[in-house]
Amino acid sequence: MKSFKLWLIACSLFMIFGVCTSNGATLEERCHGKTPKERFLIYKAAAEQGDAGGQFSLGGCYKNGSGVAQDHVEAVKWFRKSAEQGDAGGQLALGWCYETGKGVAKNFVEAYALYNLHRSNFKDLGYLEELMSPAQIAAGKKRTIELQKSYKSPK
């Protein structure tokens, strides 16, 4: 249930801030009233041009099987690209993938580190810490620092 809560937070961040395209319309505005397949194609075009929000949304399409066959491995690929650009939604969604083992080997340390990047937005990591050893928590905190250095500043 907590991982679902994180997923909702990630989706909410995208919905609140949107992603502006070259014509000034957000991706969400461009997708309004479109079929799932049409939205998938819009997100794919934006993602392939390096748009972090498009990458996050494309990952969501693959995760949910919306407009395309469900493919968690492909979802992880696009969430990672988004996360590396500092997109909060992408980072939280990638954390969810590591927490649940969807599309990637389950890894609580990596999930913890990705969630911990946004601890100010989501403070309740206790549920995940209950599943981790003290050594894993320490490794997660160390990994958070590594990610802060390698990822672009959060958007």
Side-chain angles (χ1 to χ4, degrees):
M1 186 58 153
K2 293 287 185 173
S3 62
F4 180 71
K5 185 176 179 182
L6 285 171
W7 178 252
L8 287 176
I9 290 169
C11 291
S12 296
L13 288 170
F14 177 74
M15 295 297 288
I16 290 167
F17 297 108
V19 179
C20 289
T21 58
S22 58
N23 67 2
T26 66
L27 282 175
E28 199 57 36
E29 290 168 343
R30 290 184 57 212
C31 290
H32 181 72
K34 304 288 186 188
T35 67
K37 181 65 174 180
E38 290 169 329
R39 286 192 302 269
F40 167 79
L41 293 173
I42 292 169
Y43 294 144
K44 186 172 192 242
E48 289 174 345
Q49 292 177 10
D51 184 287
Q55 292 165 344
F56 167 69
S57 295
L58 184 60
C61 289
Y62 281 112
K63 175 194 170 288
N64 298 317
S66 180
V68 66
Q70 188 175 49
D71 184 339
H72 288 108
V73 172
E74 196 68 13
V76 167
K77 170 185 162 183
W78 291 104
F79 288 150
R80 185 178 316 282
K81 287 177 182 284
S82 176
E84 288 172 351
Q85 291 195 64
D87 183 74
Q91 291 167 354
L92 292 169
L94 185 59
W96 177 86
C97 292
Y98 277 107
E99 179 186 350
T100 61
K102 300 284 186 179
V104 67
K106 189 179 282 192
N107 184 332
F108 290 150
V109 171
E110 195 70 12
Y112 182 93
L114 286 157
Y115 292 158
N116 203 31
L117 289 171
H118 301 283
R119 196 169 189 117
S120 62
N121 294 331
F122 185 78
K123 297 179 186 198
D124 185 12
L125 290 176
Y127 78 96
L128 190 56
E129 290 174 343
E130 290 176 11
L131 303 173
M132 301 169 69
S133 69
Q136 288 176 308
I137 294 168
K141 289 177 181 177
K142 180 179 177 186
R143 180 71 177 133
T144 299
I145 294 167
E146 292 169 1
L147 291 176
Q148 287 170 332
K149 292 177 183 176
S150 66
Y151 284 2
K152 291 182 181 178
S153 297
K155 295 179 183 174

